[in-house]
Amino acid sequence: MSLHVHFLDPYQTGSSLVHRLDPRVKLILAVAFILANALIPSGAWAIYLLMLTLSLSGAVLSELGVGFVLKRAFLALPFVLAAFPLLFTVPGPTAFSVGSVQISMIGLERFASIALKSWISVQAAILLATTTQFPDLLQAMRALRLPRLLVAIIGLMWRYIFVIVDEVLRMLRARAARSGVSVDASLRSGGSVVWRARVTGGMAGSLFLRSLERSDRIYAAMVARGYDGEVRSFPLPPLSTVNWLVLGGGFFVLMILVTLAVLVWR
Amino acid sequence: MFLKPMVMHIPDGFLSVAVSIGMWVLAAIAIVFALIRVNRDLGEREVPVMGVLAAAIFAGQMLNFTVAGGTSGHLLGAALATILLGPWAGILILTCVVGIQALIFQDGGILALGANLFNMGVIGVAVAYAVYRLFQRIAGGQKWGIFVGGFAAAWASVFVASLAVALQLAISGTSPANIAIPAMAGVHAVIGVGEGLITLGALALIYAARRDLLKIGDAQPAGSKVVLIGGTLLAILLAVLSPLASAFPDGLERVAEDVGFIETAQEPLYNIIPDYVFPGVSNEALATILAGIVGTLVVLGVSLLVAYNRRKARSVS
C-alpha cells in the first residue's frame, strides 16, 4: 500500500534529444531562457510569440508533446490574480470600460505581458523537470558551483521524500479512518476548527519526531559504511562538442531575441 | 494537484529583473552563512539530519485540516523547524524545501527563487526565531512561553513573509501597493492562524513525548544573535513599511521607477549605435518590421532544425 513513486516525480522516461542533452546544458539554458523572458519589455508581442515558439520546439523535441507541456504550464497561472489590479490602476488612455470601471490600455498591456511571460517561463521549467532525472540535476547543480554540502543535503532529501510522503499518506489515511460520521444527524462530527487543527498539529509533531529518529538510524548506517562527513563525488565528464554547440546556439538565439526586443520596444 | 501551490510562491514573470537578482544576492548570503554555522554545530551529522528533516517539512506541507466551505489550513513549517532546530538549520531546511518546489514542481519560479528563498527561508525563519525568543524571555522559562511563543512565531513568520511578497510585487510594478499589501496581509493573517494552530499542536505533542528536544532548542547556538536582531529588524521594518507603502503608493511608485531606472541604465549595453532604433536604420516603423523579420528568421531556423531532426529520427526508427 505504498505511494506510487511516479506520482510525485515529474520525470517522464524517454530517450529524445532533449532527454539526452547534458543536464548542465539543460539547466543553464532553462535559466537563460527564463532570464531572457524577464528582460523582454512589456508589449513586445512578436518576441513573446517567438519565445513561445522556442519553448514549444523544445516540447516537440522532447517527444512529450505540446499538449502535455501546455496543460502543465496552466497550473502555475492562478498567481496572475496578483497582477489583476493593474488593469484598473495604471493611468493611461482607456481601452474599454465595463460599466463604470475603466480598463486602461497600458494596464492591459502590462497585465497581458506578465501573464504571457509567466506562462512561457514555466514551460521551460517544466521541460527541465520532466526530461532530467533528479541525480543528473544534482550533478548539474554541482557543476554550477553550488556549495557541495547543500547539494549533498538536497540529494539526501530527495532520497527520503518518497519514504516520508508515504508516512504522511498513512497518517492521513488513519485520520480519515478514525473520522466517522454518525447516522444520527443530530450528533455533530468533526469537532471544532481549533480541535481539528490540533489533531493535525499532533500529526506534524509525530512526523517530525519520527523523522528525527529516522535520521539517527540513517546516520548510523552511513557511518557503518565508512561515512566520515566528507562529501565525495565523481568528477564530471567534459561537455561533448554537440552539447557545446547547443549551449552556444541557445545563448546566441536568446541574445538576438532580447537585443531585438530591447532595441525596438523600449 | 497533489501538493497545493501556496499563495506565497512567486512564479517567474512577476518580479522585475533588478528585484529578482537583488533577492538572489540577499538569499545567497544568508544561506552561505547558515551552511557554515550548521556545519560547525552539527559536523558530519549535518547531511543526514538536514536532508531527512527537509523531506519531513516538504511532506508535512501535505498535512491539512478543513476549515469551512472547502478551504483548508496547511502547514508551512518554517516556525516549527526553527523552534526545534534553531535558526541556521531552519534556513537550510527551508532552502532545500523551497528550492525543490521550484525546480521540480514549478511551485514558484526559478528566477524568482531568490525572492522565494528570502521570503520563506530567511524572513520566515528569522522572524519566527525573534518572536519565539521574545516570548521565551517574557515567560521566563515557564511552560506557556513555549506554546504561546510557538503560536505567535508561526503566525508572525507567515504574516511578515507575505508582507515581503507584496512589497516585492509592488516594487516590481506588478501589483499596486495599495491593493497588494492589504490583500496579501489580510489573507495571510488568516492563513497564519492555521499555521499557528498546527505548530501549537505539534509543540504540544513534542512537549509530551520528547521534552528534551525543546530544551535543545533553548540553548542558543553561537551567532544566533545576528538572526535575533535581523529578525526583529525585518519584522519591524516590514510592519512599518507596508502600511506606509500602502497608504502612499506614489512613494513606492517612485521606488519602482528608481529600480526601473537601474534597468534602463543598462540600455547603453544594448544600444550599439545610438539614435538608431535598429542598427543602421533610422525609420522606426521600418526598424520594427526588420526586427520582426530577423527574429522570425532566427526562430524559423531553430524550428526547421527541430523538424529536420524529427524526420531523421523517424526515418531511422
Side-chain angles (χ1 to χ4, degrees):
Chain A
M1 277 269 272
S2 78
L3 172 78
H4 312 113
V5 171
H6 305 290
F7 190 34
L8 244 184
D9 191 351
Y11 175 72
Q12 304 281 323
T13 332
S15 57
S16 73
L17 285 173
V18 182
H19 282 85
R20 274 177 295 163
L21 202 61
D22 192 284
R24 285 168 282 181
V25 175
K26 265 190 277 190
L27 182 57
I28 295 172
L29 279 184
V31 173
F33 183 86
I34 292 167
L35 181 66
N37 232 339
L39 283 170
I40 296 171
S42 70
W45 308 120
I47 304 292
Y48 289 149
L49 199 66
L50 297 177
M51 292 297 275
L52 182 66
T53 317
L54 285 182
S55 65
L56 292 185
S57 301
V60 170
L61 266 187
S62 72
E63 289 170 14
L64 294 172
V66 173
F68 172 86
V69 173
L70 289 189
K71 224 168 38 199
R72 287 207 168 195
F74 275 115
L75 283 175
L77 225 52
F79 203 88
V80 149
L81 207 64
F84 194 64
L86 281 181
L87 287 179
F88 318 106
T89 57
V90 177
T94 311
F96 53 88
S97 46
V98 185
S100 61
V101 184
Q102 295 183 334
I103 292 175
S104 86
M105 198 65 212
I106 303 170
L108 186 65
E109 182 185 287
R110 263 212 252 165
F111 174 77
S113 299
I114 289 169
L116 251 177
K117 266 187 195 187
S118 170
W119 187 55
I120 297 171
S121 296
V122 83
Q123 291 175 18
I126 288 170
L127 269 181
L128 176 69
T130 48
T131 63
T132 318
Q133 273 182 307
F134 195 76
D136 294 341
L137 212 53
L138 279 181
Q139 283 213 334
M141 289 187 218
R142 245 191 64 221
L144 293 183
R145 300 281 174 274
L146 241 73
R148 253 207 303 187
L149 215 53
L150 193 62
V151 176
I153 293 174
I154 293 176
L156 208 96
M157 172 195 176
W158 185 253
R159 166 64 184 81
Y160 284 97
I161 269 185
F162 304 104
V163 177
I164 296 178
V165 163
D166 255 358
E167 188 134 24
V168 168
L169 288 184
R170 281 199 296 276
M171 283 179 165
L172 289 172
R173 206 181 304 131
R175 182 180 66 177
R178 301 196 290 274
S179 310
V181 179
S182 173
V183 201
D184 184 358
S186 66
L187 285 174
R188 230 169 64 82
S189 58
S192 69
V193 173
V194 174
W195 180 80
R196 287 200 294 270
R198 287 204 58 165
V199 169
T200 311
M203 290 158 74
S206 65
L207 178 73
F208 186 89
L209 288 184
R210 288 183 200 177
S211 304
L212 205 64
E213 280 155 14
R214 188 188 291 277
S215 81
D216 275 343
R217 296 196 296 274
I218 293 166
Y219 172 66
M222 283 165 78
V223 170
R225 287 169 175 80
Y227 174 71
D228 59 357
E230 187 65 30
V231 184
R232 296 182 183 80
S233 34
F234 287 113
L236 295 170
L239 281 183
S240 68
T241 323
V242 179
N243 277 306
W244 274 116
L245 281 178
V246 173
L247 187 63
F251 267 137
F252 180 69
V253 169
L254 289 175
M255 241 164 62
I256 288 187
L257 290 185
V258 171
T259 313
L260 281 179
V262 172
L263 282 177
V264 178
W265 277 275
R266 183 146 249 172
Chain B
M1 188 65 185
F2 188 49
L3 298 158
K4 284 194 181 136
M6 307 275 174
V7 210
M8 229 186 274
H9 295 70
I10 308 172
D12 280 322
F14 285 83
L15 293 181
S16 69
V17 178
V19 172
S20 309
I21 290 175
M23 288 297 140
W24 259 115
V25 171
L26 289 178
I29 293 171
I31 292 165
V32 167
F33 259 103
L35 270 175
I36 295 170
R37 293 258 25 134
V38 172
N39 192 19
R40 203 177 299 163
D41 295 344
L42 274 181
E44 56 186 56
R45 290 187 43 114
E46 179 194 30
V47 173
V49 174
M50 294 294 107
V52 173
L53 289 182
I57 294 289
F58 179 94
Q61 295 192 347
M62 288 161 49
L63 291 173
N64 62 345
F65 64 97
T66 46
V67 176
T71 56
S72 56
H74 282 265
L75 178 74
L76 278 168
L80 189 60
T82 310
I83 291 168
L84 293 169
L85 298 160
W88 300 112
I91 289 178
L92 269 198
I93 289 176
L94 266 288
T95 297
C96 294
V97 172
V98 175
I100 289 286
Q101 284 171 336
L103 213 52
I104 305 296
F105 300 102
Q106 286 82 49
D107 218 352
I110 291 178
L111 191 63
L113 178 58
N116 287 329
L117 284 175
F118 189 73
N119 297 338
M120 283 174 274
V122 181
I123 294 183
V125 167
V127 168
Y129 185 69
V131 171
Y132 185 68
R133 285 242 69 95
L134 180 76
F135 274 89
Q136 289 277 301
R137 186 152 302 175
I138 296 172
Q142 276 175 292
K143 194 173 128 186
W144 65 267
I146 295 174
F147 299 124
V148 178
F151 178 86
W155 183 85
S157 73
V158 170
F159 183 73
V160 177
S162 81
L163 292 183
V165 173
L167 268 179
Q168 286 153 4
L169 288 174
I171 293 175
S172 299
T174 303
S175 205
N178 54 350
I179 296 174
I181 292 173
M184 281 297 268
V187 170
H188 285 88
V190 179
I191 291 180
V193 172
E195 171 86 4
L197 287 174
I198 298 183
T199 306
L200 184 65
L203 288 176
L205 184 123
I206 292 167
Y207 187 82
R210 289 278 308 267
R211 202 167 302 177
D212 55 313
L213 284 178
L214 289 165
K215 292 268 156 51
I216 292 169
D218 270 358
Q220 295 189 49
S224 57
K225 261 226 167 82
V226 185
V227 186
L228 193 63
I229 297 167
T232 314
L233 281 181
L234 276 172
I236 293 171
L237 193 73
L238 283 168
V240 171
L241 213 62
S242 308
L244 216 70
S246 167
F248 306 102
D250 298 346
L252 205 69
E253 201 109 297
R254 191 156 313 142
V255 177
E257 260 166 37
D258 288 348
V259 175
F261 176 74
I262 296 169
E263 267 168 49
T264 30
Q266 302 165 341
E267 219 176 328
L269 198 88
Y270 303 112
N271 262 335
I272 308 153
I273 305 163
D275 294 332
Y276 293 93
V277 182
F278 194 75
V281 185
S282 53
N283 185 310
E284 205 165 315
L286 193 67
T288 312
I289 296 167
L290 255 178
I293 291 174
V294 173
T296 310
L297 279 179
V298 169
V299 175
L300 194 69
V302 174
S303 306
L304 277 178
L305 217 69
V306 169
Y308 175 73
N309 258 311
R310 289 278 293 169
R311 242 181 52 195
K312 219 170 68 179
R314 214 165 268 168
S315 63
V316 167
S317 62

